[in-house]
C-alpha cells in the first residue's frame, strides 16, 4: 500500500497552460515536501509545508497543504518547457528519521 | 554552503561482482545520511539511513549493505551483485529529517 498517492502519474501539456498535481494520503503528516527531478539527476527540494491550510508560492508555482495535513497540491501557472520533470511529494510523519515518498508525477511541457 | 558528492556517476558491473558506491558531504557536520534506489525514473525506495557514525538502519532486506566510517561519508556495498540491483542510486543528507538534499546519483547497470 502506497502511503502517498500522486496524481496524475503522467501529464503532457502545451507551453502556457496551467496545471495542478496532487499528493494524497489517508495519514496525517507533520510536514510535506515537494521535489523536482530532471532525468539523470537527483531530486531538488522545492518547498516544505508544515501548517494545515498553508499556501506557499515560488514564482509560478503554488503549493498548498490540506487543512487536515493529509494532502497537498502543486499548481503551475503558464507552464514552460523548463518545468518539465518528475515532481515528487514526500511526507514526514513525525518521530521518524525517514521520509515517505510518492511515486511522482512526470510532467512534460511541450514548446 | 553544503555539497554532496557521489561516485562513480555511472557503473556497469557483471552479475556476481562486488559493489562499492561512495557518498560524501561537505560543509556540515553530523548529518543524517540516506541511500535510496530509484527504478525507471519513478519513486524512491529507501535502502538505508544513518543518524551517526557506525549507526545504520536497514529498510529493505537484500544483498546490499551500508557503512558510515566517518561523519560525512556513507558507503553502499554488495559482495555479489544481482541483475535486480540495477537502478539509479541516490544519496541524501538532512539535518531535520524532513528536508533532504540529494546528490547527483549513480547509474548502476548489472549485466
Amino acid at each position: 500500500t502506497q502511503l502517498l498517492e500522486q496524481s496524475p502519474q503522467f501529464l503532457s501539456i502545451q507551453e502556457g497552460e496551467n496545471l495542478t498535481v496532487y499528493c494524497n494520503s489517508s495519514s496525517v503528516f507533520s510536514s510535506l515536501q515537494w521535489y523536482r527531478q530532471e532525468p539523470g539527476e537527483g531530486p531538488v527540494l522545492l518547498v516544505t509545508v508544515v501548517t494545515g491550510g498553508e499556501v506557499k508560492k515560488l514564482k509560478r508555482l503554488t503549493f498548498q497543504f490540506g487543512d487536515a495535513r493529509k494532502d497537498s497540491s502543486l499548481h503551475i501557472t503558464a507552464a514552460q518547457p523548463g518545468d518539465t520533470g518528475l515532481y515528487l511529494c514526500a511526507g514526514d510523519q513525525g518521530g521518524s528519521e525517514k521520509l515517505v515518498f510518492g511515486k511522482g508525477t512526470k510532467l512534460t511541457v511541450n514548446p | 554552503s553544503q555539497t554532496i558528492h557521489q561516485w562513480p556517476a555511472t557503473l556497469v558491473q557483471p552479475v556476481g561482482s562486488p559493489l562499492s558506491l561512495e557518498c560524501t558531504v561537505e560543509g556540515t557536520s553530523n548529518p543524517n545520511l540516506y541511500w535510496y534506489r530509484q527504478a525507471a525514473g519513478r519513486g524512491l525506495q529507501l535502502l538505508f539511513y544513518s543518524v551517526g557514525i557506525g549507526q545504520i538502519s536497514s529498510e529493505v532486506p537484500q544483498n546490499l549493505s551500508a557503512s558510515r566510517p566517518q561523519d560525512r561519508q556513507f558507503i553502499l556495498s554488495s559482495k555479489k551483485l544481482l541483475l535486480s540491483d540495477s537502478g539509479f542510486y541516490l544519496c541524501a543528507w538532512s539535518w531535520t529529517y524532513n528536508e533532504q538534499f540529494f546528490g547527483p546519483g549513480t547509474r548502476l547497470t548489472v549485466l
Side-chain angles (χ1 to χ4, degrees), chain A residues 31 33 35 37 48 86 97, chain B residues 34 38 41 59 98-100:
Chain A
S31 68
Q33 292 76 46
Y35 294 81
Q37 184 180 23
T48 297
L86 179 68
E97 300 90 354
Chain B
Y34 305 83
Q38 185 176 37
E59 288 296 299
N98 66 346
E99 292 186 338
Q100 296 185 7

Side-chain angles (χ1 to χ4, degrees), chain B residues 8-108:
Chain B
T10 60
L11 190 60
V12 180
Q13 292 285 93
V15 169
S17 63
L19 173 74
S20 181
L21 302 182
E22 188 164 344
C23 170
T24 59
V25 182
E26 296 178 353
T28 185
S29 59
N30 198 30
N32 301 317
L33 295 172
Y34 305 83
W35 277 113
Y36 291 89
R37 178 168 59 203
Q38 185 176 37
R42 298 296 284 166
L44 305 181
Q45 178 188 29
L46 179 63
L47 301 175
F48 301 94
Y49 67 94
S50 171
V51 299
I53 296 174
Q55 300 179 60
I56 308 294
S57 295
S58 174
E59 288 296 299
V60 183
Q62 54 202 336
N63 68 321
L64 298 173
S65 62
S67 62
R68 185 170 177 174
Q70 300 180 42
D71 181 44
R72 290 170 289 177
Q73 184 184 31
F74 206 21
I75 297 172
L76 182 69
S77 304
S78 175
K79 293 182 179 179
K80 290 186 178 182
L81 284 169
L82 307 172
L83 285 174
S84 58
D85 291 323
S86 292
F88 192 48
Y89 287 82
L90 289 158
C91 180
W93 74 270
S94 74
W95 281 321
T96 60
Y97 305 146
N98 66 346
E99 292 186 338
Q100 296 185 7
F101 302 93
F102 287 83
T106 295
R107 173 72 60 190
L108 172 65

Side-chain angles (χ1 to χ4, degrees), chain A:
Chain A
T1 303
Q2 186 71 18
L3 204 54
L4 279 172
E5 298 285 348
Q6 290 192 245
S7 61
Q9 291 186 45
F10 301 94
L11 186 57
S12 181
I13 63 171
Q14 294 300 121
E15 183 176 2
E17 293 182 4
N18 302 331
L19 66 112
T20 302
V21 298
Y22 301 92
C23 175
N24 296 308
S25 177
S26 57
S27 301
V28 175
F29 290 92
S30 299
S31 68
L32 273 178
Q33 292 76 46
W34 285 92
Y35 294 81
R36 179 170 64 213
Q37 184 180 23
E38 299 190 19
E41 300 182 8
V44 175
L45 179 65
L46 297 175
V47 77
T48 297
V49 286
V50 296
T51 305
E54 181 177 7
V55 176
K56 283 191 173 180
K57 292 190 174 183
L58 184 65
K59 297 184 180 178
R60 293 175 293 100
L61 278 61
T62 301
F63 305 85
Q64 185 163 8
F65 200 11
D67 291 341
R69 291 186 288 126
K70 294 182 178 180
D71 52 79
S72 181
S73 63
L74 160 58
H75 181 79
I76 301 179
T77 303
Q80 299 177 1
D83 295 326
T84 292
L86 179 68
Y87 288 81
L88 294 160
C89 68
D92 154 38
Q93 293 189 285
S96 170
E97 300 90 354
K98 307 175 290 186
L99 287 180
V100 174
F101 278 85
K103 291 187 176 180
T105 293
K106 189 171 183 180
L107 172 65
T108 302
V109 182
N110 302 298

